[in-house]
Amino acid sequence: MKPPPFKYLAARTLDEAIDALACSDGEAKVLAGGQSLVPMLNFRLLEPAWLVDINRIPGLDGIQDAAGSLHIGALTRHKTTENAPLIADAFPIVTAAMSHVAHFGVRNRGTIGGSLAHADPAAELPMLAMLLDASITTQSGKGKRTIAAKDFFRGSLATALEPTEILTAVTLPKLPPATGWSFEEISRRPGDFAVAAVAVTITQQGGRCTDARIALAGVGATPIRFPQAERTLIGQTIDAAMANAAAAIVRDQCEPQSDLQGSADYRRHLVGHLVARGIDVAAGARS
Amino acid sequence: MSESAHIRVTVNGSPIECDVEPRMLLGDFLRTTLALTGTHFGCEHGVCGACTVIVNGDSTRSCLMFAVQADGGTVETVESLGTIDALHPLQEAFRTHHALQCGYCTPGMLMTALDLIRKRPLANDAEIRDGLSGNLCRCTGYQNIVIAVREAAKVIRASNL
């Protein structure tokens, strides 16, 4: 349970970190909060030649309000995201979900960029990135890239990040006015990864749904949206029957796995209930 | 063997200067290099919370941070709390309320509780339980730990410790 040997660089600038990744021939890992990477090193699931520590790079953290979006630096710690008034104002669903992200001590160090780059399929932040149509900014020697969340998560612990790229920020476009939300998670113990988690937003005008989003975590290899179920809600007055119909689509379309946390059947059962309840709550029918 | 790094870190108020291998976990540095064996390793992958110390004012799992990362910073361990003859109010409360049995998880519980008392209102037991949910105890069933933290918070806040 001790990490393998590696060479260590505490990068002082983003350029220095990018140079180190470029020179490492794909044998480097970026060390941010370390709350997922260090366990993998301790288990020796990874043996990188280099760790490039980005914790001392100024300007990589912080939350800014800009042009209809919030811009969150990759090194923003979970404790900051959890307590930020800017987040609570624009994305109360994120504030609510943060209390499910591991525990107090882990949130002191874990970062949003690290969580997205690690891409655990049962983690809350990748799921919220999907729900909120986030765009993810990366930088390498070749320049900057912006990747839509839907193109970023490729599989369990797999993303569109190249080995020479650093995830530098995530941008969340603000939700339209009159958007309700719901975050529901079932885990075996508080702070554990989700057996199943469901995030829903419903935007309504004149009593009809104008936008609906449904995202799941813990069910399948990546966080996932359900466009067909979302479309059935748009233009409708949301009631329990509508919520149940959309939830049935999600339940039938999701592809849960069995593991020690729960069987595939149990997860599918949970998803049906959580999505129906989530739509109800987000639409204001039940709180 | 990877190259060693030179670090300067303040541990429990004392300045330390030392060479460390980059892969040395902060908890191993405290226990083996500095002989501060009050910090206990349980799971060594961030699940149990037994190895929690306070780094730069934040409770942190010392199995998920490298000593080299503490360079320039401050670390507080359980040894910073009290002595056998003069227990810290948290330790006194754990003793009074029987909040430990085997004691293995206790250093992590104490350091997490200290960070919680410093930062959160802890207005009710639910908040205490939420704050401690990342620290596992296999003996007590938690109830007495919650009581001890609740009572210690009162004492600490009354005396501005």
Side-chain angles (χ1 to χ4, degrees):
Chain A
M1 296 299 293
K2 303 296 179 192
F6 51 79
K7 290 180 178 156
Y8 173 83
L9 174 73
R12 298 283 166 171
T13 65
L14 190 56
D15 284 344
E16 190 185 359
I18 287 167
D19 282 349
L21 292 186
C23 294
S24 71
D25 206 20
E27 294 297 312
K29 290 293 283 183
V30 174
L31 175 60
Q35 303 300 288
S36 300
L37 178 60
V38 182
M40 294 176 87
L41 293 170
N42 288 359
F43 278 124
R44 304 211 173 192
L45 295 171
L46 295 172
E47 295 203 19
W50 280 91
L51 281 195
V52 179
D53 186 345
I54 62 171
N55 282 282
R56 292 173 195 268
I57 300 176
L60 263 188
D61 64 343
I63 302 165
Q64 273 123 36
D65 197 341
S69 298
L70 285 192
H71 184 80
I72 307 174
L75 206 56
T76 305
R77 311 262 173 214
H78 297 327
K79 64 167 181 174
T80 305
T81 305
E82 181 181 14
N83 295 312
L86 275 176
I87 300 275
D89 283 349
F91 300 104
I93 189 171
V94 175
T95 304
M98 290 312 294
S99 67
H100 294 268
V101 178
H103 307 100
F104 179 59
V106 169
R107 293 200 293 274
N108 279 336
R109 274 199 76 73
T111 67
I112 192 166
S115 179
L116 296 175
H118 183 61
D120 191 296
E124 293 81 5
L125 285 162
M127 167 209 211
L128 291 170
M130 286 292 288
L131 180 86
L132 299 171
D133 293 329
S135 51
I136 288 157
T137 307
T138 69
Q139 203 166 328
S140 71
K142 294 182 212 156
K144 277 190 182 181
R145 263 204 315 161
T146 300
I147 308 165
K150 67 181 168 58
D151 302 320
F152 185 77
F153 301 106
R154 298 277 175 87
S156 180
L157 310 185
T159 70
L161 267 181
E162 301 284 341
T164 55
E165 276 181 313
I166 292 180
L167 195 164
T168 56
V170 56
T171 302
L172 304 179
K174 287 188 187 170
L175 294 161
T179 298
W181 60 272
S182 165
F183 182 89
E184 306 270 351
E185 176 169 329
I186 302 291
S187 57
R188 294 282 293 261
R189 289 161 294 266
D192 274 14
F193 284 106
V195 178
V198 172
V200 177
T201 64
I202 302 281
T203 308
Q204 296 175 98
Q205 271 183 349
R208 289 187 186 278
C209 174
T210 55
D211 184 55
R213 306 182 197 183
I214 302 167
L216 261 56
V219 182
T222 63
I224 185 169
R225 289 271 296 271
F226 290 87
Q228 192 188 331
E230 293 170 6
R231 278 196 302 271
T232 64
L233 298 171
I234 293 174
Q236 306 292 324
T237 299
I238 304 218
D239 57 15
M242 286 302 311
N244 288 335
I249 294 173
V250 175
R251 191 186 58 223
D252 292 346
Q253 287 185 343
C254 72
E255 295 176 351
Q257 311 278 316
S258 293
D259 61 22
L260 289 174
Q261 306 277 349
S263 68
D265 282 349
Y266 175 54
R267 285 192 158 95
R268 194 181 293 282
H269 173 82
L270 280 180
V271 163
H273 282 289
L274 294 179
V275 172
R277 189 196 300 168
I279 293 169
D280 267 358
V281 172
R286 178 151 57 103
S287 57
Chain B
M1 188 75 141
S2 46
E3 300 151 34
S4 68
H6 192 70
I7 62 168
R8 291 184 181 85
V9 57
T10 302
V11 179
N12 299 336
S14 302
I16 307 281
E17 221 180 307
C18 188
D19 289 326
V20 294
E21 205 187 341
R23 67 165 165 159
M24 178 173 268
L25 297 167
L26 176 61
D28 279 321
F29 173 71
L30 294 168
R31 289 180 53 82
T32 60
T33 308
L34 302 186
L36 294 172
T37 52
T39 299
H40 295 169
F41 269 149
C43 71
E44 290 185 85
H45 65 285
V47 171
C48 78
C51 68
T52 300
V53 297
I54 296 181
V55 181
N56 300 331
D58 286 325
S59 53
T60 300
R61 283 147 154 70
S62 65
C63 71
L64 297 189
M65 183 174 175
F66 299 107
V68 64
Q69 295 187 280
D71 184 26
T74 61
V75 179
E76 297 164 72
T77 72
V78 70
E79 285 89 349
S80 71
L81 294 184
T83 63
I84 294 288
D85 298 325
L87 293 177
H88 184 278
L90 258 170
Q91 293 168 315
E92 191 64 54
F94 269 57
R95 179 165 173 257
T96 304
H97 297 283
H98 303 289
L100 64 154
Q101 289 179 30
C102 85
Y104 201 85
C105 72
T106 310
M109 288 286 179
L110 291 170
M111 299 316 283
T112 302
L114 184 62
D115 193 24
L116 285 168
I117 290 170
R118 286 173 179 173
K119 289 180 184 163
R120 290 193 178 178
L122 303 183
N124 52 52
D125 285 0
E127 281 189 34
I128 296 172
R129 286 179 183 277
D130 176 63
L132 291 176
S133 65
N135 290 66
L136 301 183
C137 171
R138 302 290 79 179
C139 302
T140 63
Y142 302 102
Q143 183 58 39
N144 288 354
I145 295 175
V146 173
I147 294 169
V149 172
R150 184 211 300 150
E151 296 307 313
K154 287 182 198 162
V155 173
I156 290 170
R157 284 168 186 171
S159 58
N160 279 325
L161 277 173

